[in-house]
């Protein structure tokens, strides 16, 4: 099959194979579909990919995905600005949103503390988080990090560092799948974990 596929088709297959969750067989199936579809289908897909990649960036205030300087969650005045949900990655914001159980604002850390991988607090958006607390108006910080060892360690570090500012620090109730991040939690589990959050400080 290798030598009988045209070069450009093989290149497309190789490009698709770089995507997460796409193995060699899926990549080949998608590539074969695209070269046999209307050219507008392929062009539309290519244009949508480039446009999204060029336009989507991180909110300057909270770190969530945005197209403007700030995201829809920071800009929505109906949301409760006194509640701040801290997550590891921008995609975790989407998981919490889908649970429908949170109507506050967000703060994306950009990862978790991981000494083994050389990631310390200074590599994360911890200082911007402190600045938001200093700026005032925040009543509770909800730590919605993974329930594995590094997620736990990051939660405890943040709880200690943010303590003593008159802000309640809580974290999600247990119930998230062990050893995984928020993206594996279903919506009901996540909303129950939010409702049953417990106070750390
Ligand atoms: Zn934002």
């Amino acid at each position: 099959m290798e030598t009988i596929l045209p070069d450009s088709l093989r290149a497309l297959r190789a490009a698709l194979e770089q995507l997460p969750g796409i193995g060699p067989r899926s990549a080949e199936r998608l590539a074969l579909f695209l070269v046999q579809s209307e050219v507008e289908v392929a062009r539309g897909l290519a244009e949508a990919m480039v446009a999204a990649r060029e336009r989507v960036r991180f909110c300057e205030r909270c770190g969530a995905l945005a197209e403007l300087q700030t995201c829809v969650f920071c800009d929505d005045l109906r949301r409760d600005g006194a509640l701040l949900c801290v997550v590891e990655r921008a995609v975790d914001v989407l998981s919490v949103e889908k649970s429908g159980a949170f109507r506050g604002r967000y703060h994306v850390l950009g990862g978790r503390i991981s000494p083994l991988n050389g990631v310390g607090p200074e590599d994360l958006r911890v200082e911007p988080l402190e600045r938001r607390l200093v700026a005032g108006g925040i009543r509770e910080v909800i730590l919605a990090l993974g329930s594995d060892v590094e997620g736990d360690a990051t939660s405890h570090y943040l709880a200690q560092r943010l303590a003593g500012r008159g802000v309640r620090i809580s974290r999600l109730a247990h119930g998230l799948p062990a050893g995984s991040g928020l993206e594996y939690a279903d919506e009901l589990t996540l909303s129950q974990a939010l409702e049953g959050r417990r106070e750390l400080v």
Side-chain angles (χ1 to χ4, degrees):
M1 193 75 171
E2 285 310 304
T3 49
I4 56 175
L5 280 182
D7 285 350
S8 58
L9 184 48
R10 284 166 57 192
L12 175 57
R13 183 183 63 183
L16 289 167
E17 218 179 311
Q18 295 176 42
L19 300 174
I22 304 290
R25 288 169 66 92
S26 299
E28 186 161 295
R29 196 164 57 242
L30 290 169
L32 287 168
F33 166 79
L34 285 167
V35 296
Q36 293 174 94
S37 61
E38 296 292 325
V39 72
E40 285 312 316
V41 172
R43 184 172 288 128
L45 179 64
E47 285 172 359
M49 284 195 292
V50 173
R53 180 61 191 87
E54 286 180 346
R55 287 181 201 159
V56 174
R57 49 175 157 165
F58 298 111
C59 170
E60 288 180 1
R61 188 172 306 141
C62 77
L65 298 175
E67 280 201 342
L68 304 172
Q69 281 188 326
T70 49
C71 69
V72 291
F73 312 114
C74 284
D75 292 341
D76 186 350
L77 297 176
R78 291 166 303 178
R79 300 184 76 102
D80 185 356
L83 275 180
L84 197 61
C85 181
V86 176
V87 295
E88 285 172 28
R89 299 161 307 160
V91 295
D92 295 331
V93 170
L94 308 178
S95 300
V96 176
E97 278 302 300
K98 283 178 191 159
S99 79
F102 184 70
R103 291 294 293 165
R105 299 236 161 84
Y106 292 97
H107 189 87
V108 179
L109 281 180
R112 59 173 82 185
I113 297 171
S114 173
L116 282 176
N117 294 309
V119 181
E122 66 283 357
D123 301 309
L124 305 175
R125 299 180 65 247
V126 177
E127 269 189 37
L129 174 58
E130 282 182 316
R131 284 201 295 273
R132 291 181 76 177
L133 295 196
V134 169
I138 292 171
R139 183 176 73 243
E140 179 177 356
V141 171
I142 303 166
L143 302 173
L145 310 178
S147 60
D148 57 355
V149 174
E150 289 179 345
D152 272 348
T154 307
S155 290
H156 284 109
Y157 173 84
L158 289 176
Q160 287 187 342
R161 182 155 165 182
L162 303 177
R165 296 172 192 271
V167 174
R168 179 193 298 180
I169 313 286
S170 60
R171 66 173 298 180
L172 295 185
H174 285 300
L176 293 183
S180 65
L182 291 179
E183 63 188 309
Y184 298 106
D186 66 70
E187 288 151 27
L188 181 63
T189 307
L190 197 43
S191 85
Q192 286 170 344
L194 267 165
E195 300 290 343
R197 65 185 183 267
R198 46 201 177 76
E199 202 164 334
L200 279 175
V201 179

